[in-house]
Amino acid sequence: MDKSTPMRIDLNNRTKLETVIPLSTPFIINVDPADSCNFQCGFCPTGDRKLMKEIGRPLKAMDFNLFKKIIDDIEEFDTPIKVLRLYKDGEPLINPNFAKMVAYAKKNKNILKIDTTTNASLLTPQNSLEIVEAGLDKINISVEGVNAKQYMEFSKYKIDFDKFVENIKFFYENKKQCEVVVKINGDVLTSEDKKFFLDTFKNIADGVYIEHIMSCWPEFELRDGLEVNQEQGIYGQEIKEVDVCAYVFYSFSINSDGKASLCFLDWSKKLLIGDVNEESVKDIWLGEKLKSYQKMFLEGKRKQHDVCKDCGQMSHGMPDNIDDYKEILLKKLKD
């Protein structure tokens, strides 16, 4: 891998969605191991403890038996899913069964890859070895500062930064097939901070990326003086708003309590499309609730939806643009 590549996501070699929609099997299923977090970052709703209490988020770790049911359900799809993403709202490593979850999912031949995103504050040498042995394919590590002071200011979390780096180094040295990606928000860093970040992690990761602030969560305002970068999207790409949310055509999410959400940004659970406690994963994917949302986007009605109308992902973080194919895809969906 070229560690100097400026974007964490390859925007040039993606599947052209207009050629494959509708999909009988999703490309990606997000499953949230835990919907709570030990950080309180100003860009993330989960970090707002008062807000979480107000909306009644359960702040729980997913039950392992529920997780096994989800994985078993995935065997019903005609073809394998490309990625099982063990991440949504919270810090995945809060779940004590995280390595067991990876190991169980790894046995399912209908899952091609398993990845996660973590703040790595709980990534000890012991659980690193367990996670690697379980067979995780990719770990995205979000770094929230280049020293303990910045961590406290940005995430309200006391961290031993040197030990944090050593733990990531340990994981990298023992990673086997697992790809290690380290990323940081660069909009609050000085040029010296950025150089330090790159020098610190470039030899203990497969990819190191400096990204930008965006407000991707609908109906959530950034805190602590953070502002959206209005010059570049999250990956450094051009800011361009699209009308159709492409995510709903190839992915969906399952929350820690088993309720299924339209997308991984549904932090307040206002976009529920099913419940794996009562339905199969496949039935939810092929169900009318999801299809109704897909039709809404293709009919150009996103701006009329209370939640989706102001989603920052549509301008600052959308990797796909299928706006020009709305009519064709709507016809396919209705046939």
Side-chain angles (χ1 to χ4, degrees):
M1 173 185 290
D2 181 2
K3 296 184 182 181
S4 65
T5 301
M7 293 189 188
R8 178 163 51 95
I9 291 182
D10 184 353
L11 299 177
N12 297 316
N13 297 300
R14 296 173 64 83
T15 298
K16 293 185 180 302
L17 293 174
E18 64 271 15
T19 67
V20 296
I21 294 173
L23 291 168
S24 60
T25 300
F27 287 164
I28 301 170
I29 299 177
N30 297 273
V31 176
D32 202 4
D35 74 344
S36 60
C37 187
N38 53 340
F39 282 20
Q40 300 179 63
C41 303
F43 63 83
C44 177
T46 301
D48 189 330
R49 305 285 168 78
K50 181 181 178 182
L51 178 62
M52 293 300 97
K53 186 175 182 179
E54 288 175 354
I55 68 169
R57 272 259 295 272
L59 299 178
K60 61 180 290 185
M62 177 174 281
D63 178 78
F64 188 59
N65 287 326
L66 174 60
F67 178 78
K68 289 197 294 183
K69 193 264 184 186
I70 293 168
I71 301 306
D72 293 346
D73 280 359
I74 291 174
E75 293 183 0
E76 297 178 3
F77 285 110
D78 299 333
T79 57
I81 66 169
K82 292 186 176 183
V83 180
L84 174 71
R85 182 150 293 152
L86 297 181
Y87 170 72
K88 182 179 177 282
D89 292 315
E91 167 49 48
L93 300 188
I94 284 179
N95 193 316
N97 292 316
F98 182 80
K100 285 176 59 179
M101 297 168 86
V102 174
Y104 190 83
K106 198 67 179 178
K107 297 175 184 177
N108 191 319
K109 301 304 180 184
N110 238 12
I111 299 171
L112 298 184
K113 288 188 176 181
I114 305 170
D115 71 20
T116 193
T117 296
T118 173
N119 62 38
S121 63
L122 305 176
L123 192 66
T124 64
Q126 179 180 346
N127 63 26
S128 288
L129 293 177
E130 292 173 353
I131 292 168
V132 168
E133 188 62 31
L136 187 69
D137 294 295
K138 183 176 182 179
I139 184 168
N140 296 288
I141 298 174
S142 299
V143 176
E144 309 299 355
V146 296
N147 54 53
K149 182 175 181 292
Q150 288 185 4
Y151 261 84
M152 183 56 67
E153 292 174 348
F154 195 80
S155 302
K156 312 298 185 291
Y157 187 84
K158 185 177 181 180
I159 198 168
D160 183 331
F161 189 78
D162 291 337
K163 184 177 180 181
F164 171 74
V165 174
E166 282 299 312
N167 286 342
I168 293 175
K169 180 181 178 182
F170 181 88
F171 188 99
Y172 183 75
E173 291 175 343
N174 293 275
K175 72 187 186 76
K176 295 184 179 178
Q177 93 285 354
C178 186
E179 179 185 351
V180 179
V181 169
V182 178
K183 58 189 178 73
I184 194 170
N185 161 35
D187 292 343
V188 296
L189 300 180
T190 64
S191 56
E192 291 79 9
D193 287 339
K194 293 177 184 178
K195 183 179 185 304
F196 177 81
F197 168 75
L198 294 172
D199 289 343
T200 300
F201 294 102
K202 65 183 180 181
N203 293 321
I204 57 173
D206 298 301
V208 183
Y209 303 93
I210 297 176
E211 300 181 344
H212 302 286
I213 295 177
M214 64 171 289
S215 181
C216 56
W217 285 279
E219 300 184 307
F220 174 74
E221 297 292 332
L222 300 180
R223 306 188 312 277
D224 301 334
L226 295 177
E227 295 183 359
V228 174
N229 189 310
Q230 298 297 350
E231 297 180 359
Q232 293 178 301
I234 185 173
Y235 309 116
Q237 80 277 28
E238 176 188 1
I239 295 174
K240 181 179 179 181
E241 185 171 14
V242 300
D243 191 34
V244 179
C245 176
Y247 289 113
V248 303
F249 294 94
Y250 67 85
S251 66
F252 73 106
S253 299
I254 301 172
N255 297 291
S256 63
D257 59 1
K259 293 179 181 178
S261 284
L262 178 69
C263 78
F264 62 97
L265 300 173
D266 184 25
W267 62 273
S268 58
K269 297 184 182 177
K270 291 183 178 179
L271 304 174
L272 296 180
I273 57 172
D275 189 339
V276 296
N277 293 287
E278 302 171 357
E279 308 163 78
S280 74
V281 172
K282 182 178 180 180
D283 285 346
I284 293 172
W285 173 249
L286 298 177
E288 287 303 316
K289 289 184 180 179
L290 176 57
K291 186 175 290 186
S292 67
Y293 275 107
Q294 293 174 337
K295 290 178 179 177
M296 176 193 78
F297 287 111
L298 294 177
E299 290 170 350
K301 297 178 180 179
R302 176 172 73 85
K303 289 293 186 178
Q304 299 173 30
H305 192 275
D306 290 343
V307 176
C308 300
K309 63 180 180 180
D310 296 321
C311 179
Q313 196 77 16
M314 298 297 97
S315 56
H316 285 66
M318 179 55 66
D320 305 289
N321 184 350
I322 55 174
D323 283 3
D324 291 342
Y325 305 93
K326 286 189 292 188
E327 292 183 8
I328 296 173
L329 296 177
L330 183 60
K331 185 176 185 303
K332 286 184 178 180
L333 210 62
K334 290 181 176 179
D335 287 346

